Amino acid sequence: MSQSNGPVPRPGILDIAAYVGGEHHGTIRLASNEGALGPSPRAMEAYAQAAATLHRYPDGASAALREAIARRFGLDAGRIVCGAGSDEIISLLIRAYAGPGDEVLYSQYGFLMYPIGARSVGATPVTAPETDLTADVESLLSRVTPRTKLVFLANPNNPTGTYLPTSEIERLHAGLPPHVLLVIDAAYAEYMNRNDYTAGAELVERFPNVVMTRTFSKIFALGSLRIGWAYCPAAVADVLNRVRGPFNVSTAAHVAGIAAVEDTEFLERSRQHNEQWREWFTRQVRGLGLTVHPSVTNFVLVDFQGQKPGKDDAEAARQFLKGRSILVRQMPSYGLPSCLRVTIGTEAEMRAVVDALKAFLEG
Ligand SMILES: *Cc1c(COP(=O)(O)O)cnc(C)c1O
């Protein structure tokens, strides 16, 4: 495309491959890791009630939402910053701490918003190879240079579904120079029930260069409202509050988010549902002879590699499922072209996917 006469964006922008979300025109939508049970009924009710005050600007400080989050997770509300999804928080962190010539480091199969954010400020995304689809601390540390400004680690990671235990996160942090900001993206933290896992809050409280990001889009199932948050050292919270939009989170998002985070019973039901059907689905799909990578999240990677010719084609399988109105996520943009990522949905949805995969393999 010629740019000779028109406005030209800054270097790096045209190197961005625009983020393509999961498809959403289908009856069974398992391409975007949205909570299987939908939003908490209490969140829906709060959202409906917000309609009467849509003419008012929201509270720019998101104070009530930050306080509800702080109560629920035992955190300091003063160090929470809310954003329009954790995507906004990720972009703001990169914008505030990196620029042209700087490097943003993340692991091989890390979330695609990290390189997109890096390129949009003219910084260079740098990846560190993983081992067994899992982030590798040595590999990450060996790629830190004097130009590294941020290290992003999704824990657990999307799309691999794997995680690093607390001891590994601590080792990663200990190996980083103090000027590097470690961002732990814990979008799937609420699905976890492992003793050796931390979402990262204690590290944030102990060190000036660790941030934890969270979202309401996954287990809380409020993706449409765009609510994310960061738990930060005070100086980082101050920086984010300077660069964010003054009214970046809407009133509807505030009230629905508060209701969702306070509905602990619904959250626990969602977590148990996920565990039960993730394990069931994994067993069934392995029973069909496909590889399913072990996952601690609300999605699994199904790998078609090694199937007989024609049945080893993940894209053909995706199209076959789509023909049955089942949407799952393609993985070429993550460098995993032999895999499909399948979100854990309702019981009926998971049974439909198993039936469809069986038909694909037998057809
Ligand atoms: C879904 C996801 C996010 C983004 O969530 P939003 O809050 O909806 O922007 C961030 N990080 C990871 C790893 C995700 O999978």
Side-chain angles (χ1 to χ4, degrees), residues 18-20 86-88 90-91 94 104 106 110-120 152 185 334:
Y19 186 88
V20 180
S86 49
D87 284 348
E88 184 191 22
I90 292 166
S91 303
I94 294 174
V104 174
Y106 64 104
F111 189 47
L112 281 178
M113 285 309 296
Y114 314 146
I116 290 176
R119 289 199 174 97
S120 46
F152 280 92
D185 176 347
Y334 281 95

Side-chain angles (χ1 to χ4, degrees), residues 85-87 90 111 114 154 158 185 187-188 215 217-218 226-228:
S86 49
D87 284 348
I90 292 166
F111 189 47
Y114 314 146
N158 171 17
D185 176 347
Y188 301 92
T215 182
S217 303
K218 303 294 159 56
R226 315 304 304 125
I227 319 170

Side-chain angles (χ1 to χ4, degrees), residues 61 65-67 69-71 75-82 229-232 237 241:
L65 177 58
R66 287 188 295 108
E67 279 154 23
I69 293 168
R71 271 195 306 276
L75 305 176
D76 170 5
R79 300 186 195 196
I80 294 171
V81 178
C82 294
W229 54 282
Y231 194 49
C232 316
N241 281 322

Side-chain angles (χ1 to χ4, degrees), residues 19 41 44 56 95 128 163 188 247 263 267 271 285 327 353 361:
Y19 186 88
M44 290 192 266
R56 303 292 180 199
R95 181 158 26 117
Y163 77 106
Y188 301 92
F247 303 105
D263 194 346
L267 187 82
R271 208 187 57 68
V285 177
L327 305 181
V353 179
L361 293 171

